[in-house]
């Protein structure tokens, strides 16, 4: 199972034991740890890992005297990714449609190992040690599996042109990354578009976003900030983001024009 997705039947059974012993319902425990009733049920069935501070808060609330925390550390170990990232990735792995607009770096799902390593090495405060960098690079590369899922999701990207020239890791790293973009862009279920510098109007000035069509055929948006990411699920904000992304795609170069620009960028390096 993937990081952030793997649950534990052992942890779930122990959590259920302490919850029932305390006479607490799943809904009441979920409210205390900021989980929905359905999410709590998934943890207890071993289908979902206890993200965030669930183990710690549940341990205190149910009087488990550290048992839940110790088992969580044994079962799940050191957290490689922030909890909000794991929550997003759990949705991405199930989505039937994935659409992203990015302004600063090549999106994580499109990154090569060398480019991802350069991104994490650029994160100078707080800095990551070598083991943390490599663990995060490996987790990022796992996201590339979505391009080969069956049935394949519908995937689209709008990338600012500046991403094609910012040489993170050096020119050879960027050149390999651009070639990788071209390869993925040839997949029939992937559309990759570049937003050119010369636009006089621009619909994406509020920043990057990721939009999902979930496996339950509902829409979901994800926005990431320096202090963490969050989902947008309420109207009209959700529809506004999907509408904005539609305008961005209309303003960007076509996939064919974008591929020509990316290929020229790779040749010039």
């Amino acid at each position: 199972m993937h990081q952030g997705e793997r649950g534990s039947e052992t942890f779930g059974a122990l959590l259920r034991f302490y919850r029932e012993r305390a006479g607490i319902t799943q809904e009441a425990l979920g409210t205390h740890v900021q989980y929905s009733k359905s999410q709590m049920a998934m943890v207890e069935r071993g289908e979902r890992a206890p993200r965030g501070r669930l183990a710690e808060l549940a341990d205190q609330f149910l009087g488990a005297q550290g048992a839940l925390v110790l088992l969580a550390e044994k079962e799940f170990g050191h957290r490689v990714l922030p909890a909000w990232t794991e929550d997003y990735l759990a949705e991405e792995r199930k989505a039937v449609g994935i659409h992203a607009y990015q302004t600063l770096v090549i999106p994580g799902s499109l990154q090569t190992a060398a480019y991802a390593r350069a991104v994490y090495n650029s994160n100078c405060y707080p800095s990551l040690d070598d083991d943390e960098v490599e663990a995060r690079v490996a987790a990022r590369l796992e996201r590339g599996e979505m391009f080969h899922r069956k049935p394949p999701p519908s995937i689209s990207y709008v990338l600012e042109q500046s991403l094609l020239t910012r040489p993170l890791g050096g020119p050879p790293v960027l050149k390999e990354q651009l070639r990788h973009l071209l390869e993925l862009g040839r997949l029939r279920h992937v559309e990759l578009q570049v937003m050119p510098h010369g636009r006089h109007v621009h619909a994406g000035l509020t920043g990057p976003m990721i939009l999902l069509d979930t496996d339950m055929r509902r829409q979901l948006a994800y926005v990431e900030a320096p202090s963490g990411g969050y989902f947008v699920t309420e109207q009209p904000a959700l529809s506004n983001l999907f509408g904005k992304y539609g305008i961005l795609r209309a303003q960007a170069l076509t996939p064919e024009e974008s591929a020509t620009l990316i290929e020229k960028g790779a040749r010039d390096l």
Side-chain angles (χ1 to χ4, degrees), residues 208-264:
M209 67 184 92
I210 303 176
L211 309 177
L212 302 177
D213 296 311
T214 74
D215 59 331
M216 302 302 291
R217 301 293 175 174
R218 63 186 180 87
Q219 293 182 327
L220 186 65
Y222 181 75
V223 178
E224 200 162 69
S227 59
Y230 60 93
F231 288 107
V232 178
T233 60
E234 300 297 325
Q235 301 293 356
L238 181 60
S239 291
N240 289 345
L241 289 176
F242 272 83
K244 183 177 296 186
Y245 185 73
I247 297 173
L248 282 169
R249 294 193 69 179
Q251 292 175 340
L253 300 177
T254 67
E256 294 76 18
E257 293 168 337
S258 299
T260 298
L261 185 63
I262 294 169
E263 190 167 18
K264 181 181 184 303

Side-chain angles (χ1 to χ4, degrees), residues 2 11 14 20 41 48 63 67 71 76 107 110 155 161 169 184 189 192 213 235 258 264:
H2 298 285
F11 179 85
L14 189 65
E20 292 177 345
R48 178 188 176 107
L71 184 58
F76 305 103
L110 293 171
I155 303 173
Q161 187 176 352
L184 292 176
H189 60 288
L192 200 156
D213 296 311
Q235 301 293 356
S258 299
K264 181 181 184 303

Side-chain angles (χ1 to χ4, degrees), residues 3-204:
Q3 175 71 23
E5 187 178 58
R6 178 180 62 84
S8 165
E9 292 183 1
T10 302
F11 179 85
L14 189 65
L15 176 63
R16 183 171 61 252
F17 168 79
Y18 280 110
R19 178 180 62 76
E20 292 177 345
R21 190 186 70 167
I24 303 296
T25 64
Q26 283 183 340
E27 186 173 7
L29 178 57
T31 299
H32 184 75
V33 302
Q34 298 184 328
Y35 268 51
S36 68
K37 181 180 178 181
S38 63
Q39 288 173 328
M40 288 304 310
M42 291 174 68
V43 173
E44 290 192 356
R45 291 195 301 266
E47 298 172 357
R48 178 188 176 107
R51 304 186 184 104
R53 298 181 62 208
L54 186 148
E56 177 187 350
L57 294 175
D59 192 282
Q60 296 171 355
F61 189 55
L62 301 178
Q65 299 181 315
L68 290 172
V69 173
L70 287 174
L71 184 58
E73 290 176 354
K74 179 180 178 181
E75 290 286 291
F76 305 103
H78 175 67
R79 185 184 300 278
V80 173
L81 300 172
W84 60 84
T85 302
E86 291 183 349
D87 285 338
Y88 165 74
L89 292 179
E91 294 292 341
E92 181 183 80
R93 293 185 188 106
K94 300 179 295 182
V96 298
I98 304 165
H99 314 284
Y101 166 61
Q102 183 55 266
T103 62
L104 297 176
V105 295
I106 302 296
S109 54
L110 293 171
Q111 291 177 10
T112 64
Y115 188 93
R117 194 171 291 112
V119 170
Y120 284 121
N121 284 332
S122 297
N123 184 19
C124 59
Y125 191 87
S127 61
L128 303 173
D129 62 35
D130 290 345
D131 289 342
E132 288 177 304
V133 168
E134 292 307 312
R136 294 196 181 195
V137 168
R140 180 152 290 185
L141 293 180
E142 281 188 2
R143 293 179 63 189
E145 295 176 4
M146 73 185 193
F147 294 105
H148 309 291
R149 277 176 15 205
K150 295 183 179 180
S154 174
I155 303 173
S156 71
Y157 298 91
V158 176
L159 311 180
E160 287 294 328
Q161 187 176 352
S162 59
L163 306 187
L164 309 181
T165 58
R166 182 172 294 125
L168 294 179
V173 170
L174 179 59
K175 184 169 187 172
E176 179 193 31
Q177 178 63 69
L178 296 182
R179 298 268 181 220
H180 185 59
L181 293 182
L182 290 170
E183 180 182 344
L184 292 176
R186 294 187 188 103
L187 298 174
R188 67 170 61 93
H189 60 288
V190 178
E191 289 197 333
L192 200 156
Q193 295 177 255
V194 174
M195 179 67 73
H197 291 314
R199 288 294 312 179
H200 291 183
V201 293
H202 195 306

